[in-house]
Amino acid sequence: MNEASLTLNAPRPVGADPFDFAALATGREPERYSLHTRHLNEQMVRVLQTIGYDVGFAKGAGQYLWDRNGARYLDLLSGWGVFALGRNHPDVSRALISVIEADLPNLVQMDVSVLAGLLAERLLKYTPWLDKAFFCNSGAEAVEAAMKFARSSTGRSRILFCDHAFHGLTYGALSMNGDAIFRDGFGPLLPDVAEIRFNDLDALDRALAGKDVAAFFVEPIQGKGANMPDPDYLSRAAALCRKYGTLFVADEIQTGLGRTGKFLAVEHWGAEPDMVLLAKSLSGGHVPVGAVLARRKIFEKVFNRMDRAVVHGSTFSKNDLAMAAGLATLEVIENEKLIENAARRGEQILEGFRSMNQRYELVKDVRGKGLMIGIEFGAPKSLKLKTAWTVLEKVNSGLFCQMITIPLFKDHKVLSQVAGHGNHTVKLLPPLTIGDEDVAWIERSFDAVIADAHKVPGAVWSLGKTLADHAIKAKIGG
């Protein structure tokens, strides 16, 4: 019997509390990666070990993470946007404990939830042109619900989405995914779902002209690439949808709840969607929850008779913990003025990145709103850098960004992400709670790593060669 088996089958210490899962996690921490290799996604473990991210995070608070050795990291990933309030916000924790201790009659099903009604009331105050809320368990579920609502309420079947879009990975949402790597191997996907170019109003007009499109789904700022809409794109897209009787659906799952310096990103451009999709940060970082906010006429056509009252739903969708997490999240956002903080800190970061754009030839573009920011890298002009860039691109397009994110992580303790497969943009999604110290940390770290990337030969390009070798081995099955 090997050592891992002995550990797995070891008896619980005498007197140990079987419900002390914090102690259990601490005791089994050395098996973190072996457990996942045996029982979960082995490839994810291989990725972490290959790029040196296998540090074993042991604690999270606010915008910071600590690894098993006590080193502190600044989290610019925030669980793909989940932790807008930071990790383990005490007010959210207190709200959840209060619900657990109250012995509420949760999920009776043959009744309705007070907390769900209160959360709907609170959310709809931010969107006075919308009237109804539907709750679910995730962003992907919100997308699926909106697709069903659109088809049911319009009597049409066609759905439009934009290239480079990401709306989730369940079948309906996946059918609207603008990246083939997520779709490959899972077809056939839903019929009557078509892609058009982001920011192309003429293409949208042509696609809608047949008056057979139920809904147009769009992320106000695209998550895969942090791609920005043209100044008049969203408002004119909404007008085109009204003209042709198509529902305009804003996927604010990542951009909503203050992320961009407004409660909803569409507010920057004066658009009023027929449906707004929310999730991620509405959870408070604790209990998954998604929401569809919609016009009354949509609900009245979907839930149009008593025998259709349960025509769409989800078993856990209005559970009291999720509703309390949502209510607590909105309370914290308002009390701590996090929307205003996102706008202010975002502009500080963008200003620093714009300076780098002027100073470094590898920095092609800087864009974003609030604390959803992308810094895009592109082919340089100087001969040595251009040659090195070209060699790397031939191996794997977008590999250069990992030459930025890995040193940021290893040398500067900044956790960040590439904005998509084959993408040349590093995206920032920090908690909305960041302060001056964090802004300085971000600027200092990016400046140092980007400066190093302009030295050929150098440590960053040596890392690039290592990454390229791994990419080649992966392609040939090594």
Side-chain angles (χ1 to χ4, degrees):
M1 187 177 291
N2 59 35
E3 184 179 347
S5 298
L6 286 170
T7 306
L8 283 169
N9 295 303
R12 184 184 297 121
V14 176
D17 181 353
F19 294 100
D20 187 350
F21 292 110
L24 178 63
T26 300
R28 299 288 295 275
E29 198 282 333
E31 300 171 74
R32 176 194 300 258
Y33 299 109
S34 62
L35 283 167
H36 277 255
T37 297
R38 286 195 302 273
H39 306 303
L40 293 152
N41 187 346
E42 180 180 358
Q43 298 305 323
M44 188 63 193
V45 173
R46 293 181 67 187
V47 167
L48 294 174
Q49 292 173 337
T50 297
I51 62 178
Y53 280 45
D54 54 335
V55 298
F57 287 113
K59 179 185 173 183
Q63 57 267 47
Y64 307 117
L65 291 161
W66 286 263
D67 68 19
R68 62 168 71 94
N69 296 317
R72 186 180 69 148
Y73 297 73
L74 178 60
D75 180 13
L76 304 187
L77 178 58
S78 63
W80 293 332
V82 167
F83 295 100
L85 310 185
R87 280 179 163 78
N88 299 310
H89 195 288
D91 290 344
V92 180
S93 299
R94 187 157 51 89
L96 297 177
I97 291 168
S98 75
V99 169
I100 291 171
E101 291 180 342
D103 292 333
L104 297 177
N106 191 24
L107 295 175
V108 175
Q109 306 300 6
M110 295 306 293
D111 196 3
V112 292
S113 161
V114 174
L115 292 179
L118 293 174
L119 180 56
E121 177 183 63
R122 191 83 173 259
L123 284 171
L124 290 165
K125 285 182 179 178
Y126 292 98
T127 56
W129 70 94
L130 300 177
D131 312 284
K132 297 284 189 174
F134 171 85
F135 292 115
C136 51
N137 301 298
S138 68
E141 276 198 17
V143 171
E144 300 283 346
M147 293 179 79
K148 290 178 69 175
F149 291 176
R151 285 177 164 174
S152 176
S153 64
T154 63
R156 301 173 178 182
S157 63
R158 293 191 68 214
I159 302 285
L160 295 182
F161 70 99
C162 292
D163 59 342
H164 305 297
F166 186 93
H167 296 289
L169 297 177
T170 51
Y171 259 94
L174 185 62
S175 301
M176 297 194 295
N177 198 307
D179 192 334
I181 193 169
F182 292 106
R183 299 192 307 265
D184 288 350
F186 297 110
L189 301 177
L190 292 190
D192 289 341
V193 179
E195 176 182 308
I196 62 170
R197 284 173 56 85
F198 185 63
N199 273 330
D200 191 336
L201 288 165
D202 289 337
L204 179 60
D205 196 348
R206 290 192 300 272
L208 296 177
K211 296 186 178 181
D212 60 347
V213 176
F216 170 52
F217 283 71
V218 64
E219 300 157 276
I221 301 173
Q222 290 190 315
K224 297 297 181 184
N227 301 318
M228 299 292 293
D230 292 337
D232 62 347
Y233 177 65
L234 295 173
S235 59
R236 289 181 63 189
L240 283 172
C241 287
R242 284 194 299 273
K243 175 182 176 181
Y244 293 113
T246 295
L247 298 179
F248 179 63
V249 183
D251 181 341
E252 296 259 8
I253 290 163
Q254 191 165 102
T255 55
L257 279 82
R259 167 62 57 192
T260 69
K262 299 281 188 182
F263 185 78
L264 297 178
V266 290
E267 294 177 50
H268 291 288
W269 298 284
E272 293 187 352
D274 298 296
M275 286 189 274
V276 170
L277 314 183
L278 300 171
K280 290 190 182 291
S281 57
L282 188 60
S283 67
H286 281 286
V287 187
V289 59
V292 179
L293 309 183
R295 295 188 190 275
R296 182 182 303 276
K297 65 180 182 180
I298 296 171
F299 261 57
E300 287 178 346
K301 289 186 177 180
V302 175
F303 304 104
N304 60 340
R305 301 189 307 267
M306 283 194 291
D307 63 336
R308 289 180 61 82
V310 292
V311 72
H312 184 69
S314 183
T315 301
F316 289 97
S317 63
K318 295 184 288 293
N319 75 84
D320 287 335
L321 285 175
M323 300 299 97
L327 285 163
T329 294
L330 296 177
E331 194 70 30
V332 170
I333 286 172
E334 292 175 8
N335 290 344
E336 298 186 9
K337 300 187 184 307
L338 295 186
I339 298 175
E340 296 84 348
N341 193 61
R344 182 170 62 255
R345 302 304 180 189
E347 189 52 43
Q348 288 178 310
I349 295 169
L350 282 166
E351 184 179 344
F353 281 175
R354 290 180 190 124
S355 173
M356 295 178 210
N357 182 218
Q358 298 298 313
R359 291 184 284 118
Y360 296 118
E361 61 178 301
L362 281 164
V363 179
K364 179 181 178 182
D365 188 30
V366 172
R367 54 184 178 267
K369 286 280 189 186
L371 290 175
M372 185 173 183
I373 296 171
I375 180 166
E376 183 179 356
F377 298 90
K381 294 180 180 179
S382 58
L383 183 59
K384 276 189 176 181
L385 277 174
K386 188 174 182 179
T387 300
W389 171 279
T390 302
V391 170
L392 202 63
E393 279 294 293
K394 285 181 178 178
V395 174
N396 197 335
S397 180
L399 197 59
F400 177 82
C401 278
Q402 290 188 29
M403 293 167 48
I404 301 296
T405 58
I406 291 174
L408 280 171
F409 184 77
K410 285 187 171 182
D411 302 333
H412 300 276
K413 302 297 184 283
V414 172
L415 177 63
S416 59
Q417 69 174 130
V418 181
H421 178 73
N423 204 291
H424 295 102
T425 300
V426 174
K427 185 171 71 173
L428 281 64
L429 286 175
L432 308 189
T433 55
I434 63 170
D436 286 330
E437 176 194 341
D438 307 310
V439 171
W441 189 347
I442 291 166
E443 185 171 350
R444 180 175 65 249
S445 303
F446 271 86
D447 199 303
V449 173
I450 293 169
D452 285 346
H454 284 73
K455 300 171 184 175
V456 181
V460 169
W461 290 98
S462 295
L463 170 63
K465 183 180 182 306
T466 301
L467 293 173
D469 290 342
H470 281 298
I472 291 169
K473 288 179 181 178
K475 285 179 179 179
I476 64 176

